[in-house]
Amino acid sequence: MEIKIGVQHTPREIVLESGQSAEEVERAVAEALAAENKLLSLVDERGRKVLVPASRIAYVEIGESAARRVGFGTL
């Protein structure tokens, strides 16, 4: 699952591939926004943890990962 996180006052977004379901990611975002510690914590496919302060989250886009096309025959 591909997750894109827009961060306020930052020109680039955070993009990661995660094995979590869309419901799990949505629940984690909602809990981070409502919790006292205000920290969003997600884990990517390689086991790396991504931490984002909830007060700086502009948006979170949750979508299916697309197969990467390589070469001229994939037009």
Side-chain angles (χ1 to χ4, degrees):
M1 164 120 354
E2 182 179 63
I3 303 167
K4 294 181 182 179
I5 303 170
V7 181
Q8 296 175 6
H9 310 297
T10 304
R12 296 182 63 182
E13 58 192 12
I14 299 169
V15 180
L16 64 127
E17 292 286 331
S18 177
Q20 296 172 306
S21 69
E23 293 80 21
E24 291 173 333
V25 173
E26 185 176 351
R27 190 175 322 115
V29 172
E31 289 173 1
L33 293 173
E36 286 185 27
N37 63 5
K38 307 277 187 180
L39 189 64
L40 173 61
S41 174
L42 297 173
V43 179
D44 73 357
E45 287 181 333
R46 297 180 181 177
R48 295 178 293 191
K49 189 176 276 196
V50 177
L51 303 171
V52 181
S55 62
R56 298 291 181 205
I57 296 175
Y59 64 90
V60 177
E61 183 179 319
I62 305 168
E64 293 296 322
S65 53
R68 298 186 188 267
R69 298 179 181 173
V70 178
F72 295 106
T74 58
L75 300 175

mmCIF file with all atom_site columns, all heavy atoms in Angstrom, residues 25-42 52-55 57:
data_model
loop_
_atom_site.group_PDB
_atom_site.id
_atom_site.type_symbol
_atom_site.label_atom_id
_atom_site.label_alt_id
_atom_site.label_comp_id
_atom_site.label_asym_id
_atom_site.label_entity_id
_atom_site.label_seq_id
_atom_site.pdbx_PDB_ins_code
_atom_site.Cartn_x
_atom_site.Cartn_y
_atom_site.Cartn_z
_atom_site.occupancy
_atom_site.B_iso_or_equiv
_atom_site.pdbx_formal_charge
_atom_site.auth_seq_id
_atom_site.auth_comp_id
_atom_site.auth_asym_id
_atom_site.auth_atom_id
_atom_site.pdbx_PDB_model_num
ATOM 1   N N   . VAL A 1 25 ? -3.905  2.189  8.627  1.00 0.00 ? 25 VAL A N   1
ATOM 2   C CA  . VAL A 1 25 ? -3.253  3.485  8.454  1.00 0.00 ? 25 VAL A CA  1
ATOM 3   C C   . VAL A 1 25 ? -4.195  4.606  8.859  1.00 0.00 ? 25 VAL A C   1
ATOM 4   O O   . VAL A 1 25 ? -3.807  5.541  9.569  1.00 0.00 ? 25 VAL A O   1
ATOM 5   C CB  . VAL A 1 25 ? -2.783  3.671  6.997  1.00 0.00 ? 25 VAL A CB  1
ATOM 6   C CG1 . VAL A 1 25 ? -2.252  5.075  6.774  1.00 0.00 ? 25 VAL A CG1 1
ATOM 7   C CG2 . VAL A 1 25 ? -1.729  2.635  6.646  1.00 0.00 ? 25 VAL A CG2 1
ATOM 8   N N   . GLU A 1 26 ? -5.449  4.513  8.439  1.00 0.00 ? 26 GLU A N   1
ATOM 9   C CA  . GLU A 1 26 ? -6.436  5.533  8.803  1.00 0.00 ? 26 GLU A CA  1
ATOM 10  C C   . GLU A 1 26 ? -6.620  5.610  10.318 1.00 0.00 ? 26 GLU A C   1
ATOM 11  O O   . GLU A 1 26 ? -6.696  6.696  10.899 1.00 0.00 ? 26 GLU A O   1
ATOM 12  C CB  . GLU A 1 26 ? -7.767  5.219  8.124  1.00 0.00 ? 26 GLU A CB  1
ATOM 13  C CG  . GLU A 1 26 ? -8.818  6.279  8.334  1.00 0.00 ? 26 GLU A CG  1
ATOM 14  C CD  . GLU A 1 26 ? -10.101 5.978  7.576  1.00 0.00 ? 26 GLU A CD  1
ATOM 15  O OE1 . GLU A 1 26 ? -10.128 5.044  6.763  1.00 0.00 ? 26 GLU A OE1 1
ATOM 16  O OE2 . GLU A 1 26 ? -11.086 6.700  7.820  1.00 0.00 ? 26 GLU A OE2 1
ATOM 17  N N   . ARG A 1 27 ? -6.658  4.464  10.965 1.00 0.00 ? 27 ARG A N   1
ATOM 18  C CA  . ARG A 1 27 ? -6.800  4.419  12.424 1.00 0.00 ? 27 ARG A CA  1
ATOM 19  C C   . ARG A 1 27 ? -5.577  5.045  13.105 1.00 0.00 ? 27 ARG A C   1
ATOM 20  O O   . ARG A 1 27 ? -5.714  5.811  14.063 1.00 0.00 ? 27 ARG A O   1
ATOM 21  C CB  . ARG A 1 27 ? -6.985  2.971  12.888 1.00 0.00 ? 27 ARG A CB  1
ATOM 22  C CG  . ARG A 1 27 ? -7.369  2.840  14.350 1.00 0.00 ? 27 ARG A CG  1
ATOM 23  C CD  . ARG A 1 27 ? -7.660  1.397  14.777 1.00 0.00 ? 27 ARG A CD  1
ATOM 24  N NE  . ARG A 1 27 ? -8.357  0.621  13.762 1.00 0.00 ? 27 ARG A NE  1
ATOM 25  C CZ  . ARG A 1 27 ? -7.840  -0.452 13.132 1.00 0.00 ? 27 ARG A CZ  1
ATOM 26  N NH1 . ARG A 1 27 ? -6.638  -0.875 13.437 1.00 0.00 ? 27 ARG A NH1 1
ATOM 27  N NH2 . ARG A 1 27 ? -8.542  -1.101 12.235 1.00 0.00 ? 27 ARG A NH2 1
ATOM 28  N N   . ALA A 1 28 ? -4.372  4.760  12.590 1.00 0.00 ? 28 ALA A N   1
ATOM 29  C CA  . ALA A 1 28 ? -3.153  5.327  13.166 1.00 0.00 ? 28 ALA A CA  1
ATOM 30  C C   . ALA A 1 28 ? -3.128  6.847  13.024 1.00 0.00 ? 28 ALA A C   1
ATOM 31  O O   . ALA A 1 28 ? -2.729  7.552  13.952 1.00 0.00 ? 28 ALA A O   1
ATOM 32  C CB  . ALA A 1 28 ? -1.921  4.714  12.496 1.00 0.00 ? 28 ALA A CB  1
ATOM 33  N N   . VAL A 1 29 ? -3.573  7.355  11.883 1.00 0.00 ? 29 VAL A N   1
ATOM 34  C CA  . VAL A 1 29 ? -3.621  8.810  11.672 1.00 0.00 ? 29 VAL A CA  1
ATOM 35  C C   . VAL A 1 29 ? -4.633  9.444  12.619 1.00 0.00 ? 29 VAL A C   1
ATOM 36  O O   . VAL A 1 29 ? -4.350  10.460 13.261 1.00 0.00 ? 29 VAL A O   1
ATOM 37  C CB  . VAL A 1 29 ? -3.964  9.136  10.201 1.00 0.00 ? 29 VAL A CB  1
ATOM 38  C CG1 . VAL A 1 29 ? -4.219  10.627 10.017 1.00 0.00 ? 29 VAL A CG1 1
ATOM 39  C CG2 . VAL A 1 29 ? -2.840  8.682  9.290  1.00 0.00 ? 29 VAL A CG2 1
ATOM 40  N N   . ALA A 1 30 ? -5.819  8.848  12.729 1.00 0.00 ? 30 ALA A N   1
ATOM 41  C CA  . ALA A 1 30 ? -6.847  9.391  13.614 1.00 0.00 ? 30 ALA A CA  1
ATOM 42  C C   . ALA A 1 30 ? -6.392  9.387  15.065 1.00 0.00 ? 30 ALA A C   1
ATOM 43  O O   . ALA A 1 30 ? -6.623  10.358 15.799 1.00 0.00 ? 30 ALA A O   1
ATOM 44  C CB  . ALA A 1 30 ? -8.142  8.588  13.464 1.00 0.00 ? 30 ALA A CB  1
ATOM 45  N N   . GLU A 1 31 ? -5.733  8.320  15.504 1.00 0.00 ? 31 GLU A N   1
ATOM 46  C CA  . GLU A 1 31 ? -5.239  8.245  16.879 1.00 0.00 ? 31 GLU A CA  1
ATOM 47  C C   . GLU A 1 31 ? -4.144  9.276  17.142 1.00 0.00 ? 31 GLU A C   1
ATOM 48  O O   . GLU A 1 31 ? -4.092  9.875  18.212 1.00 0.00 ? 31 GLU A O   1
ATOM 49  C CB  . GLU A 1 31 ? -4.720  6.838  17.185 1.00 0.00 ? 31 GLU A CB  1
ATOM 50  C CG  . GLU A 1 31 ? -5.821  5.806  17.300 1.00 0.00 ? 31 GLU A CG  1
ATOM 51  C CD  . GLU A 1 31 ? -5.288  4.384  17.431 1.00 0.00 ? 31 GLU A CD  1
ATOM 52  O OE1 . GLU A 1 31 ? -4.052  4.197  17.446 1.00 0.00 ? 31 GLU A OE1 1
ATOM 53  O OE2 . GLU A 1 31 ? -6.124  3.469  17.517 1.00 0.00 ? 31 GLU A OE2 1
ATOM 54  N N   . ALA A 1 32 ? -3.275  9.490  16.141 1.00 0.00 ? 32 ALA A N   1
ATOM 55  C CA  . ALA A 1 32 ? -2.203  10.482 16.306 1.00 0.00 ? 32 ALA A CA  1
ATOM 56  C C   . ALA A 1 32 ? -2.774  11.891 16.422 1.00 0.00 ? 32 ALA A C   1
ATOM 57  O O   . ALA A 1 32 ? -2.285  12.703 17.212 1.00 0.00 ? 32 ALA A O   1
ATOM 58  C CB  . ALA A 1 32 ? -1.229  10.404 15.137 1.00 0.00 ? 32 ALA A CB  1
ATOM 59  N N   . LEU A 1 33 ? -3.805  12.181 15.657 1.00 0.00 ? 33 LEU A N   1
ATOM 60  C CA  . LEU A 1 33 ? -4.402  13.512 15.706 1.00 0.00 ? 33 LEU A CA  1
ATOM 61  C C   . LEU A 1 33 ? -5.178  13.746 17.000 1.00 0.00 ? 33 LEU A C   1
ATOM 62  O O   . LEU A 1 33 ? -5.280  14.876 17.468 1.00 0.00 ? 33 LEU A O   1
ATOM 63  C CB  . LEU A 1 33 ? -5.317  13.729 14.497 1.00 0.00 ? 33 LEU A CB  1
ATOM 64  C CG  . LEU A 1 33 ? -4.604  13.785 13.143 1.00 0.00 ? 33 LEU A CG  1
ATOM 65  C CD1 . LEU A 1 33 ? -5.626  13.829 12.019 1.00 0.00 ? 33 LEU A CD1 1
ATOM 66  C CD2 . LEU A 1 33 ? -3.665  14.967 13.075 1.00 0.00 ? 33 LEU A CD2 1
ATOM 67  N N   . ALA A 1 34 ? -5.709  12.669 17.596 1.00 0.00 ? 34 ALA A N   1
ATOM 68  C CA  . ALA A 1 34 ? -6.506  12.805 18.807 1.00 0.00 ? 34 ALA A CA  1
ATOM 69  C C   . ALA A 1 34 ? -5.696  12.623 20.096 1.00 0.00 ? 34 ALA A C   1
ATOM 70  O O   . ALA A 1 34 ? -6.118  13.072 21.160 1.00 0.00 ? 34 ALA A O   1
ATOM 71  C CB  . ALA A 1 34 ? -7.640  11.783 18.788 1.00 0.00 ? 34 ALA A CB  1
ATOM 72  N N   . ALA A 1 35 ? -4.536  11.999 20.008 1.00 0.00 ? 35 ALA A N   1
ATOM 73  C CA  . ALA A 1 35 ? -3.757  11.650 21.196 1.00 0.00 ? 35 ALA A CA  1
ATOM 74  C C   . ALA A 1 35 ? -3.020  12.856 21.767 1.00 0.00 ? 35 ALA A C   1
ATOM 75  O O   . ALA A 1 35 ? -2.847  13.867 21.105 1.00 0.00 ? 35 ALA A O   1
ATOM 76  C CB  . ALA A 1 35 ? -2.760  10.552 20.863 1.00 0.00 ? 35 ALA A CB  1
ATOM 77  N N   . GLU A 1 36 ? -2.569  12.701 23.000 1.00 0.00 ? 36 GLU A N   1
ATOM 78  C CA  . GLU A 1 36 ? -1.825  13.765 23.662 1.00 0.00 ? 36 GLU A CA  1
ATOM 79  C C   . GLU A 1 36 ? -0.410  13.894 23.120 1.00 0.00 ? 36 GLU A C   1
ATOM 80  O O   . GLU A 1 36 ? 0.121   14.988 23.031 1.00 0.00 ? 36 GLU A O   1
ATOM 81  C CB  . GLU A 1 36 ? -1.771  13.501 25.167 1.00 0.00 ? 36 GLU A CB  1
ATOM 82  C CG  . GLU A 1 36 ? -3.077  13.777 25.868 1.00 0.00 ? 36 GLU A CG  1
ATOM 83  C CD  . GLU A 1 36 ? -2.935  13.610 27.371 1.00 0.00 ? 36 GLU A CD  1
ATOM 84  O OE1 . GLU A 1 36 ? -1.829  13.779 27.891 1.00 0.00 ? 36 GLU A OE1 1
ATOM 85  O OE2 . GLU A 1 36 ? -3.954  13.308 28.000 1.00 0.00 ? 36 GLU A OE2 1
ATOM 86  N N   . ASN A 1 37 ? 0.217   12.764 22.768 1.00 0.00 ? 37 ASN A N   1
ATOM 87  C CA  . ASN A 1 37 ? 1.602   12.836 22.301 1.00 0.00 ? 37 ASN A CA  1
ATOM 88  C C   . ASN A 1 37 ? 1.716   13.373 20.880 1.00 0.00 ? 37 ASN A C   1
ATOM 89  O O   . ASN A 1 37 ? 2.778   13.814 20.473 1.00 0.00 ? 37 ASN A O   1
ATOM 90  C CB  . ASN A 1 37 ? 2.305   11.478 22.419 1.00 0.00 ? 37 ASN A CB  1
ATOM 91  C CG  . ASN A 1 37 ? 1.679   10.423 21.549 1.00 0.00 ? 37 ASN A CG  1
ATOM 92  O OD1 . ASN A 1 37 ? 0.775   10.671 20.774 1.00 0.00 ? 37 ASN A OD1 1
ATOM 93  N ND2 . ASN A 1 37 ? 2.175   9.208  21.679 1.00 0.00 ? 37 ASN A ND2 1
ATOM 94  N N   . LYS A 1 38 ? 0.638   13.294 20.107 1.00 0.00 ? 38 LYS A N   1
ATOM 95  C CA  . LYS A 1 38 ? 0.562   13.894 18.779 1.00 0.00 ? 38 LYS A CA  1
ATOM 96  C C   . LYS A 1 38 ? 1.691   13.469 17.851 1.00 0.00 ? 38 LYS A C   1
ATOM 97  O O   . LYS A 1 38 ? 2.352   14.286 17.232 1.00 0.00 ? 38 LYS A O   1
ATOM 98  C CB  . LYS A 1 38 ? 0.540   15.422 18.863 1.00 0.00 ? 38 LYS A CB  1
ATOM 99  C CG  . LYS A 1 38 ? -0.500  15.988 19.771 1.00 0.00 ? 38 LYS A CG  1
ATOM 100 C CD  . LYS A 1 38 ? -1.811  16.081 19.062 1.00 0.00 ? 38 LYS A CD  1
ATOM 101 C CE  . LYS A 1 38 ? -2.793  16.820 19.976 1.00 0.00 ? 38 LYS A CE  1
ATOM 102 N NZ  . LYS A 1 38 ? -4.067  16.961 19.413 1.00 0.00 ? 38 LYS A NZ  1
ATOM 103 N N   . LEU A 1 39 ? 1.939   12.168 17.733 1.00 0.00 ? 39 LEU A N   1
ATOM 104 C CA  . LEU A 1 39 ? 2.996   11.652 16.882 1.00 0.00 ? 39 LEU A CA  1
ATOM 105 C C   . LEU A 1 39 ? 2.454   10.496 16.046 1.00 0.00 ? 39 LEU A C   1
ATOM 106 O O   . LEU A 1 39 ? 1.956   9.512  16.585 1.00 0.00 ? 39 LEU A O   1
ATOM 107 C CB  . LEU A 1 39 ? 4.177   11.172 17.730 1.00 0.00 ? 39 LEU A CB  1
ATOM 108 C CG  . LEU A 1 39 ? 5.448   10.792 17.001 1.00 0.00 ? 39 LEU A CG  1
ATOM 109 C CD1 . LEU A 1 39 ? 6.049   12.004 16.308 1.00 0.00 ? 39 LEU A CD1 1
ATOM 110 C CD2 . LEU A 1 39 ? 6.453   10.218 17.979 1.00 0.00 ? 39 LEU A CD2 1
ATOM 111 N N   . LEU A 1 40 ? 2.540   10.621 14.714 1.00 0.00 ? 40 LEU A N   1
ATOM 112 C CA  . LEU A 1 40 ? 2.111   9.564  13.810 1.00 0.00 ? 40 LEU A CA  1
ATOM 113 C C   . LEU A 1 40 ? 3.295   8.629  13.581 1.00 0.00 ? 40 LEU A C   1
ATOM 114 O O   . LEU A 1 40 ? 4.381   9.069  13.213 1.00 0.00 ? 40 LEU A O   1
ATOM 115 C CB  . LEU A 1 40 ? 1.649   10.153 12.472 1.00 0.00 ? 40 LEU A CB  1
ATOM 116 C CG  . LEU A 1 40 ? 1.323   9.138  11.376 1.00 0.00 ? 40 LEU A CG  1
ATOM 117 C CD1 . LEU A 1 40 ? 0.183   8.224  11.789 1.00 0.00 ? 40 LEU A CD1 1
ATOM 118 C CD2 . LEU A 1 40 ? 1.014   9.850  10.075 1.00 0.00 ? 40 LEU A CD2 1
ATOM 119 N N   . SER A 1 41 ? 3.079   7.348  13.796 1.00 0.00 ? 41 SER A N   1
ATOM 120 C CA  . SER A 1 41 ? 4.128   6.349  13.637 1.00 0.00 ? 41 SER A CA  1
ATOM 121 C C   . SER A 1 41 ? 3.639   5.283  12.660 1.00 0.00 ? 41 SER A C   1
ATOM 122 O O   . SER A 1 41 ? 2.623   4.636  12.896 1.00 0.00 ? 41 SER A O   1
ATOM 123 C CB  . SER A 1 41 ? 4.445   5.714  14.990 1.00 0.00 ? 41 SER A CB  1
ATOM 124 O OG  . SER A 1 41 ? 5.354   4.664  14.821 1.00 0.00 ? 41 SER A OG  1
ATOM 125 N N   . LEU A 1 42 ? 4.367   5.115  11.534 1.00 0.00 ? 42 LEU A N   1
ATOM 126 C CA  . LEU A 1 42 ? 4.052   4.098  10.544 1.00 0.00 ? 42 LEU A CA  1
ATOM 127 C C   . LEU A 1 42 ? 5.309   3.288  10.252 1.00 0.00 ? 42 LEU A C   1
ATOM 128 O O   . LEU A 1 42 ? 6.425   3.783  10.402 1.00 0.00 ? 42 LEU A O   1
ATOM 129 C CB  . LEU A 1 42 ? 3.551   4.750  9.250  1.00 0.00 ? 42 LEU A CB  1
ATOM 130 C CG  . LEU A 1 42 ? 2.258   5.545  9.345  1.00 0.00 ? 42 LEU A CG  1
ATOM 131 C CD1 . LEU A 1 42 ? 1.990   6.276  8.034  1.00 0.00 ? 42 LEU A CD1 1
ATOM 132 C CD2 . LEU A 1 42 ? 1.092   4.649  9.686  1.00 0.00 ? 42 LEU A CD2 1
ATOM 133 N N   . VAL A 1 52 ? 6.086   11.214 12.314 1.00 0.00 ? 52 VAL A N   1
ATOM 134 C CA  . VAL A 1 52 ? 5.727   12.556 11.854 1.00 0.00 ? 52 VAL A CA  1
ATOM 135 C C   . VAL A 1 52 ? 4.934   13.239 12.961 1.00 0.00 ? 52 VAL A C   1
ATOM 136 O O   . VAL A 1 52 ? 3.952   12.675 13.460 1.00 0.00 ? 52 VAL A O   1
ATOM 137 C CB  . VAL A 1 52 ? 4.871   12.489 10.568 1.00 0.00 ? 52 VAL A CB  1
ATOM 138 C CG1 . VAL A 1 52 ? 4.521   13.885 10.079 1.00 0.00 ? 52 VAL A CG1 1
ATOM 139 C CG2 . VAL A 1 52 ? 5.563   11.700 9.486  1.00 0.00 ? 52 VAL A CG2 1
ATOM 140 N N   . PRO A 1 53 ? 5.311   14.460 13.351 1.00 0.00 ? 53 PRO A N   1
ATOM 141 C CA  . PRO A 1 53 ? 4.515   15.192 14.339 1.00 0.00 ? 53 PRO A CA  1
ATOM 142 C C   . PRO A 1 53 ? 3.117   15.470 13.770 1.00 0.00 ? 53 PRO A C   1
ATOM 143 O O   . PRO A 1 53 ? 2.979   15.997 12.661 1.00 0.00 ? 53 PRO A O   1
ATOM 144 C CB  . PRO A 1 53 ? 5.283   16.501 14.540 1.00 0.00 ? 53 PRO A CB  1
ATOM 145 C CG  . PRO A 1 53 ? 6.638   16.256 13.981 1.00 0.00 ? 53 PRO A CG  1
ATOM 146 C CD  . PRO A 1 53 ? 6.494   15.192 12.944 1.00 0.00 ? 53 PRO A CD  1
ATOM 147 N N   . ALA A 1 54 ? 2.096   15.089 14.480 1.00 0.00 ? 54 ALA A N   1
ATOM 148 C CA  . ALA A 1 54 ? 0.724   15.223 13.992 1.00 0.00 ? 54 ALA A CA  1
ATOM 149 C C   . ALA A 1 54 ? 0.341   16.678 13.745 1.00 0.00 ? 54 ALA A C   1
ATOM 150 O O   . ALA A 1 54 ? -0.472  16.960 12.870 1.00 0.00 ? 54 ALA A O   1
ATOM 151 C CB  . ALA A 1 54 ? -0.248  14.585 14.977 1.00 0.00 ? 54 ALA A CB  1
ATOM 152 N N   . SER A 1 55 ? 0.938   17.602 14.472 1.00 0.00 ? 55 SER A N   1
ATOM 153 C CA  . SER A 1 55 ? 0.607   19.011 14.289 1.00 0.00 ? 55 SER A CA  1
ATOM 154 C C   . SER A 1 55 ? 1.106   19.560 12.961 1.00 0.00 ? 55 SER A C   1
ATOM 155 O O   . SER A 1 55 ? 0.669   20.614 12.520 1.00 0.00 ? 55 SER A O   1
ATOM 156 C CB  . SER A 1 55 ? 1.198   19.838 15.431 1.00 0.00 ? 55 SER A CB  1
ATOM 157 O OG  . SER A 1 55 ? 2.612   19.728 15.431 1.00 0.00 ? 55 SER A OG  1
ATOM 158 N N   . ILE A 1 57 ? 1.052   17.622 10.023 1.00 0.00 ? 57 ILE A N   1
ATOM 159 C CA  . ILE A 1 57 ? 0.467   16.868 8.917  1.00 0.00 ? 57 ILE A CA  1
ATOM 160 C C   . ILE A 1 57 ? -0.509  17.757 8.154  1.00 0.00 ? 57 ILE A C   1
ATOM 161 O O   . ILE A 1 57 ? -1.444  18.302 8.735  1.00 0.00 ? 57 ILE A O   1
ATOM 162 C CB  . ILE A 1 57 ? -0.252  15.603 9.418  1.00 0.00 ? 57 ILE A CB  1
ATOM 163 C CG1 . ILE A 1 57 ? 0.747   14.649 10.050 1.00 0.00 ? 57 ILE A CG1 1
ATOM 164 C CG2 . ILE A 1 57 ? -1.009  14.913 8.288  1.00 0.00 ? 57 ILE A CG2 1
ATOM 165 C CD1 . ILE A 1 57 ? 0.111   13.429 10.690 1.00 0.00 ? 57 ILE A CD1 1
#
